[in-house]
Amino acid sequence: MIALPAAAGLPTRTPLRRASVLLVLAAALGGDALSATDPLRWGADSEGGAPYVFPDPKDPRRIMGFEVDIAGALGRELGRPAVFVQNQWDGLIPGLLRGNYDVALNGLEITPDREQVIRFTIPYYATSEQLSVRKDESSIHALADLRGRTVGTLKFSLAQRILEAERGIDIRSYEGQINAYEDLANGRLDAVLMDWPIAMYYSRPNPKLKFTGPPIGHLEYGIGVRPDDARLLNALDEALLKLVRGGELRRIYETWGLMNPETETLFERLVHSPRALEEFTRTLTQERPWRARVRQYIGYLPLLGRGAVMTLVISVTGMALAVTLGLLLALTYLYGPRPAAWASRAYIEVVRGTPLLIQLYLIFYGLPNIGIRLTPFLAAVVGLGLNYAAYEAENYRAGIQAIPRGQSEAALSLGMTQTQALRHVIVPQALRLVIPPVTNDFIALFKDSSIVSVITMVELTKVYGQLASTYYDYIGVGLLTAAIYFLLGLPFVRLARWAEARMAVDRLVPVSARRRWLGVGSKPASG
Amino acid sequence: MEGPARQLITVEDLRKSFGHAEALRGISFSVTPSSLVVIIGPSGCGKSTLLRCLNGLELFDSGRVHIADVTLERHDGTVPRDLRHRLRLLREEVGMVFQSFNLFPHMTVLANAAKAPMVVKGMGRDDAETRARAVLAKVGLSDRLDYYPSQLSGGQQQRAAIARALTMAPKVMLYDEPTSSLDPTLVHEVLQIMRQLHDEGMTQVVVTHEMRFARDAADRILFMHEGLLVEEGPPAEVFGAPRDPRTREFLKSFL
């Protein structure tokens, strides 16, 4: 659902400030340490954005949001002061299980997958998914119209699963809603599907966008509690019911403009349905056997495979760009006219000295501002290629400078120009010298390619994230993914060793080298 | 030939400094076609620098070099506008052989010899290789065409380097201590090639410490000392009756 910086795009109407909780925890903790009641520590991600939990634009040290108000109300009901604990949204459930906080309260949909791992209170809010398009769009009215279109959503969300269930949609999953709606406004996407509250706060205020179609799907948010914490679960359920009956929850939603028909129905159901039935259905849905898990696990292997292929394609293309551009940079630096040599030096230093992640953001989200709109794939390849070109340039420089001066003198004395000497004599020898460091860099790039998941590329690491967050199995899926990376990288290491032996400057043992590559023998054959 | 023979190489008042060190302090000499000239002198006397100035690997500060139809002239350290063009013309007329061979290690012997005609003269591969084979046959390497330099002996490598220079059909061959890094038993085969080229009428300028070769094979000897051309003449004169005390001193160490 929600995960990245959101403060930039906050709506100007921010009605509630009275219930904002101080982010300065020291004061709250210090005060409570002496009292008999423990605070109710609730985990959420303040980077998730409005209207859930987000920094007050007028004073970023404070947080606000309808869930901040709910936490405060619950705290009052339980007689335990609510204390906010910041936690990355993706990791809310692991954080809860580790005991970093007592409850996870941050737009967590109640899903069977999650119920295998934690327990949920009764739902506190119900809503649906909302489709947004550009104002001038007239052909998209429902899910069925999305076939063949590019549609953005948030990673790991129900919306993403709904889109995946439809065929023929080009899905782009984003870390944060702001980027998704921005890309919709600037034409990179044809539509965006997200939880209705997010759409209310980020899509509706945007004059370039509009809502379209009926509500899609149904989701209910619940408060996550550790499975062994039954007492807290019951207390929270009771407190929530009280807040519903007393109308406080409704008042909170109305203040935030979030009251909707789904929640009306939910409140009806909560007030009238017997608790025992809720309890019973909850136990039914829990605890699937591990065999089922493994089966699901295997079922996701094709997904990992597709991610691996994408990782390979991105890495190989990116490296091809890097070695080509790197050679140009090195030659310009070593032999170009002075201004060009300086420019090349500056490029190398700046690119090596700044984080790849920021370079990727600039390329993908920054360049559209000046009219250059790259597809995620192109942005990934260009980003990795431009970055690694700086490292390759240094490899080449070292390689070229390692070639004895006599080589270029011999070439020049035969009448070759500097350029001809480089092309036919120096560079071919330097290329052979740099094979080991370039292979090294290729393997590094191969792993660094995982970073392009932040610009909506679905590659191996992104698939890992999806699977791990679906099953809360960060270890098993993690080991599996790491193994895939390792196995994919292995052939390149061997290929490079072989190429190194094959193209060794003196080429003394080409035959044995070839045998070694094929695994036939391990010693140089004599004769 | 009667009268003043047309000179193939003319060098006038060549000067060259490295920082404060003066390597060449006004060198003038000339070389008639088809002659073998040997430059001798103690280490650091500037003879290698002089040789490298003749094909532009080292740019002299002032003076004039005229080889075949190409003139390179420089005064007060100014750089001639068409320097690059003239250097290329010069190098097409002048072949160079180095002490450390400087063969291209990533190419076979045949490719070493055929590369420059293809790249510089735009010759087709077949023509270039035909010419390279002929020249390699002349230096006795017909059975080593597909070897890489590292698979050859030092003598074979230096012969391949000579062949590589010869495929460009130069008018002059320069040798910078061609036998200094060779095993003594292999020196002979390289000197033999130079003698053979002399017989065929190639103009050659050789920097060497092989005094016997200088005495037996050279037409003229130039003796250099501290950047100056101290003595020059036929080998019989320079070796038999050196006029300058510095020449006598130098030759004494070889007896």
Side-chain angles (χ1 to χ4, degrees):
Chain A
M1 204 203 58
I2 31 185
L4 262 194
L10 288 177
T12 44
R13 290 171 290 125
T14 43
L16 262 202
R17 258 192 302 153
R18 63 183 161 82
S20 297
V21 175
L22 259 181
L23 254 179
V24 187
L25 290 180
L29 285 174
D32 291 328
L34 298 173
S35 79
T37 51
D38 290 329
L40 176 68
R41 294 176 307 141
W42 62 287
D45 188 354
S46 66
E47 292 193 338
Y52 300 81
V53 179
F54 57 100
D56 184 343
K58 292 190 183 112
D59 178 4
R61 285 172 303 169
R62 301 161 72 91
I63 53 163
M64 54 194 300
F66 77 91
E67 287 176 333
V68 177
D69 297 347
I70 294 176
L74 284 173
R76 280 192 294 281
E77 285 297 326
L78 298 180
R80 295 169 62 177
V83 170
F84 166 75
V85 178
Q86 165 62 33
N87 199 94
Q88 187 85 15
W89 196 84
D90 297 349
L92 271 181
I93 290 173
L96 174 68
L97 295 175
R98 272 201 305 270
N100 294 359
Y101 31 82
D102 306 315
V103 298
L105 167 50
N106 198 192
L108 279 182
E109 297 153 37
I110 302 174
T111 64
D113 286 328
R114 290 191 177 126
E115 284 186 314
Q116 286 180 32
V117 190
I118 57 169
R119 302 186 71 177
F120 278 106
T121 61
I122 54 172
Y124 61 88
Y125 187 70
T127 185
S128 57
E129 302 293 341
Q130 179 62 51
L131 207 50
S132 299
V133 293
R134 275 184 303 280
K135 272 265 155 63
D136 54 8
E137 175 66 63
S138 55
S139 59
I140 296 176
H141 304 290
L143 267 186
D145 302 326
L146 296 179
R147 187 178 289 243
R149 302 303 196 100
T150 309
V151 183
T153 186
L154 289 171
K155 63 172 192 175
F156 312 145
S157 65
L158 174 67
Q160 184 179 337
R161 271 170 278 146
I162 290 175
L163 291 174
E164 280 167 356
E166 294 289 312
R167 296 218 156 257
I169 301 177
D170 184 6
I171 304 169
R172 302 283 156 83
S173 32
Y174 286 76
E175 303 267 340
Q177 59 273 44
I178 291 180
N179 291 331
Y181 285 118
E182 213 168 75
D183 280 355
L184 175 60
N186 72 28
R188 202 183 252 153
L189 299 174
D190 297 317
V192 166
L193 185 67
M194 276 189 207
D195 293 8
W196 179 78
I198 305 176
M200 282 295 283
Y201 273 75
Y202 290 93
S203 167
R204 175 153 276 176
N206 188 332
K208 290 187 195 158
L209 306 180
K210 66 176 182 190
F211 282 5
T212 186
I216 297 167
H218 179 82
L219 61 140
E220 295 179 350
Y221 297 151
I223 302 171
V225 181
R226 276 186 294 277
D228 55 1
D229 219 349
R231 194 138 42 109
L232 178 60
L233 183 71
N234 286 332
L236 285 171
D237 278 351
E238 258 165 49
L240 275 175
L241 273 178
K242 238 190 243 178
L243 292 177
V244 173
R245 290 211 177 91
E248 175 138 20
L249 214 44
R250 174 186 297 273
R251 270 195 298 282
I252 291 174
Y253 294 145
E254 280 169 352
T255 326
W256 286 94
L258 291 174
M259 204 54 210
N260 58 11
E262 290 94 337
T263 307
E264 289 289 359
T265 318
L266 170 69
F267 282 0
E268 281 292 301
R269 199 177 88 213
L270 288 180
V271 171
H272 295 113
S273 83
R275 280 296 307 278
L277 183 60
E278 287 274 339
E279 281 288 334
F280 179 72
T281 47
R282 181 180 292 151
T283 44
L284 256 191
T285 53
Q286 267 177 5
E287 297 288 325
R288 258 183 280 171
W290 67 271
R291 269 169 212 271
R293 265 191 174 200
V294 170
R295 221 174 295 133
Q296 265 177 308
Y297 213 79
I298 291 166
Y300 272 103
L301 275 181
L303 206 62
L304 277 173
R306 244 176 293 157
V309 168
M310 184 50 83
T311 288
L312 265 184
V313 172
I314 290 174
S315 306
V316 171
T317 327
M319 197 63 190
L321 178 64
V323 293
T324 316
L325 185 62
L327 182 58
L328 286 177
L329 281 169
L331 291 176
T332 311
Y333 173 53
L334 289 173
Y335 303 101
R338 199 159 283 178
W342 280 339
S344 142
R345 184 80 232 154
Y347 177 90
I348 293 168
E349 292 308 336
V350 168
V351 169
R352 286 198 307 175
T354 52
L356 174 58
L357 184 63
I358 290 176
Q359 293 165 11
L360 278 174
Y361 276 135
L362 284 176
I363 288 169
F364 192 64
Y365 294 116
L367 287 187
N369 292 329
I370 55 168
I372 302 170
R373 199 173 307 142
L374 300 176
T375 64
F377 176 78
L378 216 54
V381 167
V382 167
L384 286 168
L386 291 182
N387 181 272
Y388 271 78
Y391 295 93
E392 296 330 300
E394 286 295 276
N395 282 337
Y396 285 125
R397 185 178 61 80
I400 287 170
Q401 287 179 336
I403 306 299
R405 210 182 143 67
Q407 288 292 311
S408 95
E409 288 188 346
L412 291 178
S413 74
L414 285 166
M416 291 191 202
T417 61
Q418 176 87 65
T419 314
Q420 289 167 336
L422 278 173
R423 174 156 167 233
H424 297 285
V425 176
I426 307 301
V427 171
Q429 293 182 56
L431 286 184
R432 290 160 164 83
L433 278 183
V434 301
I435 289 174
V438 167
T439 315
N440 227 11
D441 282 353
F442 177 73
I443 290 163
L445 178 144
F446 187 60
K447 290 176 293 169
D448 270 0
S449 71
S450 64
I451 218 172
V452 304
S453 60
V454 300
I455 53 171
T456 78
M457 277 313 293
V458 180
E459 41 64 73
L460 196 47
T461 295
K462 183 85 143 207
V463 174
Y464 158 69
Q466 288 168 344
L467 292 182
S469 69
T470 306
Y471 296 106
Y472 307 104
D473 182 2
Y474 288 85
I475 295 174
V477 185
L479 287 176
L480 187 63
T481 311
I484 292 176
Y485 270 106
F486 180 74
L487 291 174
L488 284 180
L490 216 50
F492 291 99
V493 180
R494 299 215 67 179
L495 182 66
R497 289 238 177 92
W498 171 78
E500 200 183 328
R502 179 85 181 72
M503 311 213 309
V505 163
D506 49 16
R507 285 211 228 190
L508 273 178
V509 285
V511 177
S512 63
R514 203 173 304 133
R515 277 199 197 138
R516 213 175 303 138
W517 164 242
L518 294 171
V520 175
S522 56
K523 278 183 186 170
S526 53
Chain B
M1 207 184 278
E2 294 299 314
R6 184 168 151 62
Q7 306 292 344
L8 188 58
I9 302 177
T10 315
V11 173
E12 286 168 20
D13 196 26
L14 215 56
R15 290 172 187 277
K16 168 79 182 172
S17 306
F18 296 101
H20 291 297
E22 285 182 283
L24 303 178
R25 301 194 284 164
I27 303 273
S28 303
F29 67 94
S30 54
V31 178
T32 53
S34 299
S35 61
L36 173 59
V37 173
V38 171
I39 306 175
I40 58 172
S43 297
C45 69
K47 52 191 193 302
S48 281
T49 305
L50 172 61
L51 203 66
R52 290 162 63 84
C53 282
L54 294 188
N55 80 338
L57 278 185
E58 215 72 74
L59 194 59
F60 49 88
D61 299 332
S62 71
R64 184 168 173 273
V65 168
H66 181 87
I67 298 181
D69 296 322
V70 189
T71 307
L72 203 60
E73 202 165 356
R74 220 180 157 212
H75 297 290
D76 317 322
T78 53
V79 179
R81 267 258 180 90
D82 54 350
L83 177 68
R84 282 186 181 203
H85 176 65
R86 277 171 191 268
L87 282 178
R88 281 203 66 184
L89 290 178
L90 187 68
R91 286 166 182 162
E92 285 201 43
E93 308 286 6
V94 179
M96 178 107 175
V97 174
F98 300 87
Q99 177 180 347
S100 51
F101 324 140
N102 296 348
L103 285 168
F104 305 136
H106 59 301
M107 298 180 195
T108 61
V109 167
L110 182 64
N112 260 283
K115 196 75 190 178
M118 289 163 65
V119 171
V120 178
K121 297 198 192 245
M123 210 179 265
R125 177 178 297 275
D126 289 344
D127 289 347
E129 290 192 346
T130 306
R131 185 192 278 207
R133 275 199 188 87
V135 177
L136 285 163
K138 195 184 211 173
V139 300
L141 287 176
S142 287
D143 56 344
R144 293 288 186 270
L145 298 181
D146 296 326
Y147 282 55
Y148 284 88
S150 60
Q151 296 168 301
L152 300 180
S153 73
Q156 289 170 330
Q157 289 191 53
Q158 194 59 298
R159 284 190 278 146
I162 294 172
R164 179 176 67 175
L166 287 175
T167 46
M168 289 298 289
K171 294 205 175 77
V172 174
M173 286 286 282
L174 308 177
Y175 302 82
D176 188 4
E177 306 202 22
T179 57
S180 293
S181 52
L182 291 182
D183 189 295
T185 57
L186 300 175
V187 167
H188 170 75
E189 58 187 69
V190 172
L191 298 181
Q192 193 50 46
I193 301 287
M194 291 157 72
R195 283 199 177 91
Q196 187 186 324
L197 288 173
H198 184 45
D199 294 344
E200 293 169 9
M202 172 63 76
T203 310
Q204 303 180 91
V205 180
V206 188
V207 167
T208 186
H209 292 291
E210 294 292 330
M211 290 305 147
R212 187 188 295 190
F213 171 75
R215 193 171 54 194
D216 298 349
D219 297 310
R220 287 180 77 75
I221 303 291
L222 306 186
F223 173 71
M224 280 182 72
H225 190 268
E226 292 183 354
L228 290 172
L229 196 56
V230 170
E231 185 159 355
E232 87 168 280
E237 263 176 38
V238 176
F239 286 103
R243 281 164 289 152
D244 196 282
R246 288 166 292 188
T247 317
R248 282 198 289 274
E249 188 65 27
F250 172 74
L251 289 174
K252 216 187 281 174
S253 61
F254 282 92
L255 299 174

